[in-house]
Amino acid sequence: MAQRLATEYVNASLRLSEVQMSQFIHKVYDPHVRQTVKVLDNGGQEVVLEDDSGEEVHLPFDRKDGYYVCELSFRLEKPHLTNVMRLLFAAFKGSGMVTRIYNGFMMMYYYHEGRVRKIVEYSRDSYKLVYEYKDTVGELQRIYRNNDVEREIEQIHREVNALLDQRFVAQDTAAVQRIDSELRKHTRRLFVLEA
């Protein structure tokens, strides 16, 4: 298995309520990671996580609309702190891009509200989509509820009926040919829609 060299969080964001902020502060269970909480002037808080090797990350949470919001980019190299951040990011529904860097390639994870939406592998000369979230159930529900096709079929039926009425009373050959041409177009479109 490839050894991870570093993990980068790019445009990472967390949005926590008062209760979630309290839970966030008490969520670190790794004995190799210590945390310090600083209260800031504007009512925000800064959570500092530091592992035994001295690597640390500062997470400044600003108060915005009754929430604690943290938005930043940072890089981690040590496994204990990296693992703690991964667990916190998923548990508290973080959003952003997380890049795991290995020797010769990178794995980019795109998170939205704590869930991985896309994974891409980049190497020196290639790019490969590993995973992409598809809301299949939601898409099927949207298709099921979408009745645009049925409305178009009803409209074509009305137009065909009107054309048939015109053809019934048409006197000259040119008018009949024009009506027949329109009827053929509508027939082809109905065939496509009803297939």
Side-chain angles (χ1 to χ4, degrees):
M1 181 169 204
Q3 172 138 2
R4 185 179 321 155
L5 302 176
T7 301
E8 291 182 346
Y9 286 77
V10 180
N11 295 326
S13 66
L14 291 163
R15 186 172 187 256
L16 309 177
S17 68
E18 190 88 34
V19 172
Q20 288 172 318
M21 188 66 192
S22 177
Q23 292 169 346
F24 185 87
I25 290 169
H26 296 96
K27 190 81 171 173
V28 178
Y29 298 122
D30 191 314
H32 300 283
V33 176
R34 293 171 303 289
Q35 79 177 357
T36 309
V37 179
K38 300 176 186 176
V39 178
L40 305 175
D41 291 338
N42 62 359
Q45 296 183 19
E46 181 178 52
V47 178
V48 180
L49 301 173
E50 182 180 4
D51 72 2
D52 292 339
S53 71
E55 182 175 46
E56 62 182 31
V57 62
H58 294 255
L59 304 170
F61 285 89
D62 295 322
R63 292 288 292 184
K64 292 182 185 173
D65 301 323
Y67 288 91
Y68 288 94
V69 179
C70 178
E71 297 171 332
L72 77 159
S73 298
F74 57 93
R75 179 183 176 110
L76 299 171
E77 295 179 358
K78 305 297 181 196
H80 292 295
L81 195 52
T82 300
N83 193 44
V84 166
M85 274 310 303
R86 180 183 56 80
L87 294 171
L88 290 172
F89 201 68
F92 292 96
K93 302 185 184 330
S95 295
M97 183 176 66
V98 178
T99 304
R100 293 183 173 99
I101 302 168
Y102 300 89
N103 191 13
F105 69 99
M106 297 184 313
M107 299 296 290
M108 298 178 115
Y109 293 74
Y110 296 85
Y111 282 85
H112 180 70
E113 296 180 354
R115 302 182 87 171
V116 175
R117 297 300 179 167
K118 185 161 98 172
I119 302 172
V120 180
E121 179 183 334
Y122 287 97
S123 66
R124 288 184 180 89
D125 53 345
S126 71
Y127 152 90
K128 181 170 84 174
L129 179 66
V130 176
Y131 166 79
E132 187 166 20
Y133 172 77
K134 302 268 192 226
D135 184 11
T136 308
V137 172
E139 184 63 26
L140 288 173
Q141 287 175 340
R142 279 190 293 282
I143 290 170
Y144 181 74
R145 285 191 302 262
N146 186 352
N147 60 359
D148 291 345
V149 172
E150 286 84 3
R151 285 196 308 256
E152 186 176 352
I153 289 172
E154 289 173 9
Q155 176 64 29
I156 290 172
H157 281 191
R158 285 191 294 274
E159 291 173 12
V160 165
N161 287 339
L163 286 168
L164 289 173
D165 289 343
Q166 290 174 20
R167 191 177 194 287
F168 184 68
V169 294
Q171 297 293 327
D172 70 62
T173 309
V176 170
Q177 288 176 345
R178 181 189 56 77
I179 293 169
D180 286 347
S181 174
E182 287 294 316
L183 287 170
R184 277 192 291 279
K185 286 180 193 174
H186 286 315
T187 302
R188 282 192 288 272
R189 182 65 183 151
L190 279 174
F191 180 75
V192 168
L193 292 172
E194 292 177 341

